Amino acid sequence: NALHDEQVGGNRDAVAALRSFMEKEGLSIEFSNGGGVDDESFLDACPLEAFAAVKSDLLSVFILAHQDATDPEFKTVSDINKLGKGKLEEAKANVRKKIKVAYDCRRNPNILLNNTDYDALAATTSIEAITEDVGMNQDTLQSLRDDDANLPHLRLCSEEIAEGYCSHEGDYFPGSSEELGWLGHFAKKSTRLQNLILVGSDIFKNCSKYSVDRFFEDLGRCNHIKNMQISTDLEVVAKLGPAMKNNDITDFIAEGSYMGCSEVDSLFKTLGEIQSLEKLIMKGAFGGDGSLGGYIPSLAACTGMRILKLKDMGIRTHSCAALRSILPRMDALLELDLGGNSINDNCVEDLVSGLAECNNLLSLRLISNWLFDDGFDMLIQGLPASVSLLNVSDNQIALARQLPLLKFKELYLPGNKICSGGPQVIAASLANPECRLEYLYLSQCNIGDEETATLADGLRNNQRLIRMSLEDNNITQEGLNAFSSIL
C-alpha cells in the first residue's frame, strides 16, 4: 500500500494518463457504495489492464503478473486489497518466489515490461546469476550460450517431469520470467539449435504472459530449428506459428495435445505454409471428421512429405475424401499411418485412389479401424506395387473368402478374429511360388491346433518366409508339433 501511495496516489500525471486511456477505449467504472470520481476511488476501481497499458504504475503491473501466475479473479487494486493483510503478504511472497521481481521492480522495471537489453547485459551476467538450478537449467543455458554443437535439443518440460525424469543436457523447466527471457535470448542467438520439444502441462506456470509471448517471438527469430515435438497445453500450441514458419521445419510431431477445432484449424493452416515439411505426426487432436476434412487440404502444398501419421483423430468419410485429393501430390511419401481412426470399407476406396500414384510408398498402417474383408481386398488389389508393409491389426477381417496375400513382404493381422477357413486362405498364399511374404504376424487371430496344421502344410515348399508370429492363440503342443517336420 505504501508503494501504491508513493508511485500512484501522488502522481497526478499517472491518474490523467489512466483517465485518458479509459476514455479513449470507451471504458467506464462502476464505483461501489456511491463512491465519487476522486483520484483515490478512481485508482481503486480502475482495471489492472489500464495500469499496464499506460505503464504508469509498477505495482499494478506486478499485480497483473500475479494475476497471470496464480489467480484470474483479480481485476482491480481493490480486489487485491480485499484479501486482507495476511493473504496479501502471502500472495506477494508467492509471486516473489515465482517471478523473482516483487519490489525489485522499482529498481529494474524492465523485468516486468520485457524491455531487458540482454545483449548489453550478457557480457557481465553469469549463468549462476540467471538460474539457481545448478543442474540441468544451468547446463542447458551454458550450452546455448556457447552455441554448443553437442546440445541434443532444447526440451521445455513441466515441473513434475523435471523432478522425475529430466536429467540430461538440453532439458529445462523455467523457474521465472527472467530465466525464460534469457533462455529465449540464447535460443535466438544459437546457430546450432535444431530440435525443440515441449512436454507436460503448466510449463510456464512461473512466468508472466508477457515473458512467454516474448520467448515465442525469440524462437520465431531463430532460423535453424528443424524438428519440433509438442505434447503440452493448447495455448502453447497456438503460439508456435511464427517459430514454425521462420525455421523451415522438416519434422513436426504433436502427440497428447488434445486440440479443439480452432486450434487444429490454426495448426493445419500453419503447416500448409511450410513447404519444407517432410514428417508430420499428429495423435489425439480432435476436430471431428467433418471439420478435419476441411483442414486436411491445407497440406496440399507439402509436396516433400515423406512420413505422414494422423492417429486417433476420428478420420472417416470426409477426411478420407480430403486425403484422396492431396495424396497424389505427395509423390515422395514413404510411410502413411492412419491408425486408431474410424476408417471403414467405404473409406478405403478413397484412400486407394489417392495412393495409386504414390509409387515410393513403402508402408501403410491402418491399425484399429473398421475394415472388413471387402476393404482388405481393395487394399490388396489397389495399393501401389512399392508397398511392402501392410498393418491392419485390430480390425474386423475374417478371411472368409479367397484373397491373394502375395504382394507384401510384411503383413500384420493381429487382433482380427479370422474365421475357421481363414488359415486355408493364408496357407494357399504361402504355398504360391509368387508369394513375397517374409514376415507374417497372426497373434490373437483365433487360431487353434487344426488351423496351425493347415498353416504348417502351406509352408512345406515356402522358401521366403522368415518369421511367423502365432502368439496368444489357442495352440497346444499338438499344434506346435505340426511344424516339426518342416522346420
Side-chain angles (χ1 to χ4, degrees), residues 366-386:
L366 294 170
I367 304 168
S368 298
N369 279 280
W370 288 94
L371 302 181
F372 290 79
D373 284 359
D374 287 346
F376 186 39
D377 191 14
M378 279 188 278
L379 292 172
I380 293 171
Q381 304 294 338
L383 287 176
S386 60

Side-chain angles (χ1 to χ4, degrees), residues 29 52 83 94 144 171 188 194 259 393:
I29 293 177
L83 287 172
N94 185 39
L144 280 172
D171 294 341
K188 175 179 65 177
Q194 294 190 356
M259 292 170 272
S393 303

Side-chain angles (χ1 to χ4, degrees), residues 127 133-144 151 169-170:
I127 296 297
D133 187 311
V134 296
M136 64 178 190
N137 281 12
Q138 287 189 4
D139 291 342
T140 298
L141 280 177
Q142 189 66 58
S143 294
L144 280 172
L151 184 69
E169 189 176 7

Side-chain angles (χ1 to χ4, degrees), residues 351-359 382-384:
L351 284 180
V352 168
S353 177
L355 291 169
E357 298 176 24
C358 294
N359 294 317
L383 287 176

Side-chain angles (χ1 to χ4, degrees), residues 6 19 46 59 78 114 129 192 194 219 241 265 285 301 349 401 444:
E6 173 189 341
R19 290 187 184 278
C46 190
L59 176 62
S78 290
N114 287 326
R192 301 178 186 274
Q194 294 190 356
L219 285 182
D265 183 33
E349 185 175 357
R401 66 172 187 269
Q444 300 179 26

Side-chain angles (χ1 to χ4, degrees), residues 365-423:
R365 291 176 172 85
L366 294 170
I367 304 168
S368 298
N369 279 280
W370 288 94
L371 302 181
F372 290 79
D373 284 359
D374 287 346
F376 186 39
D377 191 14
M378 279 188 278
L379 292 172
I380 293 171
Q381 304 294 338
L383 287 176
S386 60
V387 177
S388 61
L389 183 155
L390 178 63
N391 191 332
V392 286
S393 303
D394 297 318
N395 278 277
Q396 307 296 320
I397 296 168
L399 297 181
R401 66 172 187 269
Q402 195 64 41
L403 295 172
L405 311 179
L406 308 174
K407 67 188 297 183
F408 309 109
K409 289 185 178 181
E410 296 184 54
L411 180 60
Y412 293 75
L413 289 167
N416 288 282
K417 301 305 179 185
I418 293 175
C419 69
S420 58

Side-chain angles (χ1 to χ4, degrees), residues 182-197:
W182 281 107
L183 184 67
H185 174 72
F186 292 141
K188 175 179 65 177
K189 295 288 185 178
S190 173
T191 63
R192 301 178 186 274
L193 179 61
Q194 294 190 356
N195 304 307
L196 175 67
I197 304 171

